[in-house]
């Protein structure tokens, strides 16, 4: 096999969830049917690496010192929503109903998460809460995933904030809109029943 | 969301099988945990686009006018194996038991395949068989997939070669090595029984 093709197959396999078979399908598709897409991807990767860094305040990815949300004077400083990833943040932003500030952990905390010096989201969150611009925070909204890891992360943060004058809340668990009860998992139904209002 | 991140998420979604969720997981992984891998991928894409083209004889991807297999004087000119993709070709090469030449269709033929001027593998195959360097071909080994599309492709090629002095064969269907019969699908068992030897 030609060297540049081998290199491309190997590079594609460094993407999470992409094995030999997917890499081959991807390379074949890009080279044969979507060379413009391949060029676009190469450019987006190069540009992303060069321009994206962590927001110095909320730690999400941004191309400036402060991200657009942190820099926006219209947001409510009394609310701070803690999420795991920029993708979770984007999902919440799309609803248009949250007008507070954010803190992005960039991963999960707790015994199930891989620890590492780059991943100390809890310590960064505590530093953020001690900073002058966080003095207005009255409520921390825990919007980590409703998985074992996300729940452990939320629990750790709640523990770390005990005794402080900040209200800690969690997104509600329940049946997703548009769901037929028959197809919703039992744990979700049980929670929706317990949290009924 | 920062523009370069939006562009990266969009570009990743142009990969086959990658939706919004996978793209977000990939971008996050590359930016946060594998910047070297991201750089490598950008380079491999750029290099692949610049250097890879179709072999003028067998149509596989190569970085030269002729691919290594077509340029190899040691291969058996009387055998021509027809496959769908360079990945299939690589798989057959890895077995080390085939010493003939190749022709790569770069897709599937037949009513189930998407037609297009770039995808006329059958016409290219016929042109190849009429070329001087194909005069030694005595046997065409059809190694297209054992799927409905692959079978249709093999059938179309066999039809197109009727009346010519070239023997047309097909890879044997049967039970894969290492399989327990209990877990092999019924169609495969039926074929293995019919083709028993
Ligand atoms: Zn920010
Ligand atoms: Zn070739």
């Amino acid at each position: 096999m030609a060297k540049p093709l081998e290199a491309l197959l190997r590079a594609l396999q460094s993407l999470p969830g992409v094995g030999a078979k997917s890499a081959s399908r991807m390379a074949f598709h890009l080279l044969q049917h979507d060379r413009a897409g391949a060029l676009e991807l190469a450019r987006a990767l190069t540009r992303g690496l060069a321009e994206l860094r962590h927001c110095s305040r909320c730690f999400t990815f941004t191309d400036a010192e402060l991200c657009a949300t942190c820099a926006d004077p219209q947001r409510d400083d009394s609310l701070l929503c803690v999420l795991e990833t920029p993708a979770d943040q984007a999902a919440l932003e799309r609803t248009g109903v949250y007008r507070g500030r954010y803190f992005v952990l960039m991963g999960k905390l707790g015994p199930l998460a891989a620890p590492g010096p780059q991943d100390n989201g809890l310590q960064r969150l505590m530093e953020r809460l001690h900073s002058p611009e966080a003095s207005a925070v009255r409520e921390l909204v825990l919007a980590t995933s409703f998985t074992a890891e996300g729940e452990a992360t939320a629990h750790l943060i709640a523990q770390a904030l005990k005794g402080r004058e900040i209200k800690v809340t969690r997104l509600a668990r329940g049946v997703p809109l548009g769901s037929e009860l028959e197809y919703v998992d039992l744990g979700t139904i049980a929670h929706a029943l317990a949290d009924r209002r």
Side-chain angles (χ1 to χ4, degrees), chain A residues 58-60 82-86 103-109 118-125 142 144 153-154 157:
Chain A
C58 77
F59 218 67
T60 196
V82 180
L83 319 106
E84 288 168 11
T85 68
F103 187 85
V104 183
L105 294 166
M106 288 289 170
K108 294 177 178 71
L109 315 174
Q118 304 306 316
D119 298 317
N120 202 341
L122 181 58
Q123 192 186 321
R124 282 196 308 266
L125 174 59
L142 297 176
T144 56
T153 300
I157 295 171

Side-chain angles (χ1 to χ4, degrees), chain A residues 55 57-60 67 70:
Chain A
C55 172
R57 197 164 294 167
C58 77
F59 218 67
T60 196
C67 75
C70 286

Side-chain angles (χ1 to χ4, degrees), chain A residues 1-191:
Chain A
M1 194 183 291
K3 286 269 179 300
L5 186 55
E6 268 177 24
L8 180 55
L9 292 176
R10 208 169 40 236
L12 284 165
Q13 284 179 66
S14 75
L15 292 170
V18 176
K21 205 167 173 175
S22 307
S24 148
R25 203 174 65 236
M26 286 172 174
F28 178 70
H29 172 79
L30 292 174
L31 291 167
Q32 181 78 351
H33 302 291
D34 191 12
R35 297 177 73 90
L39 189 63
E40 195 48 54
L41 179 53
R43 281 185 184 148
L45 285 164
T46 309
R47 187 181 164 204
L49 286 171
E51 297 181 14
L52 292 173
R53 50 181 157 157
H54 294 292
C55 172
S56 63
R57 197 164 294 167
C58 77
F59 218 67
T60 196
F61 288 121
T62 173
D63 52 355
E65 169 69 19
L66 279 187
C67 75
T69 312
C70 286
D72 182 352
Q74 304 295 315
R75 307 287 299 215
D76 181 349
D77 283 320
S78 71
L79 280 173
L80 184 67
C81 178
V82 180
L83 319 106
E84 288 168 11
T85 68
D88 294 338
Q89 184 186 15
L92 190 47
E93 275 295 285
R94 275 196 296 275
T95 68
V97 297
Y98 180 73
R99 295 299 301 159
R101 303 286 181 182
Y102 288 105
F103 187 85
V104 183
L105 294 166
M106 288 289 170
K108 294 177 178 71
L109 315 174
L112 295 171
Q118 304 306 316
D119 298 317
N120 202 341
L122 181 58
Q123 192 186 321
R124 282 196 308 266
L125 174 59
M126 291 305 139
E127 284 163 13
R128 164 77 188 275
L129 288 172
H130 281 107
S131 70
E133 71 267 14
S135 59
V137 176
R138 295 289 166 267
E139 180 180 343
L140 206 70
V141 184
L142 297 176
T144 56
S145 305
F146 287 101
T147 59
E149 284 185 328
E151 296 284 14
T153 300
H155 182 74
L156 268 177
I157 295 171
Q159 287 297 108
L161 286 170
K162 262 201 175 141
R164 295 186 55 146
E165 284 180 8
I166 294 178
K167 188 175 161 192
V168 177
T169 59
R170 182 92 170 98
L171 287 193
R173 284 173 294 210
V175 177
L177 298 194
S179 302
E180 293 178 67
L181 216 56
E182 182 181 355
Y183 302 110
V184 173
D185 71 284
L186 298 185
T188 297
I189 296 178
H191 274 301

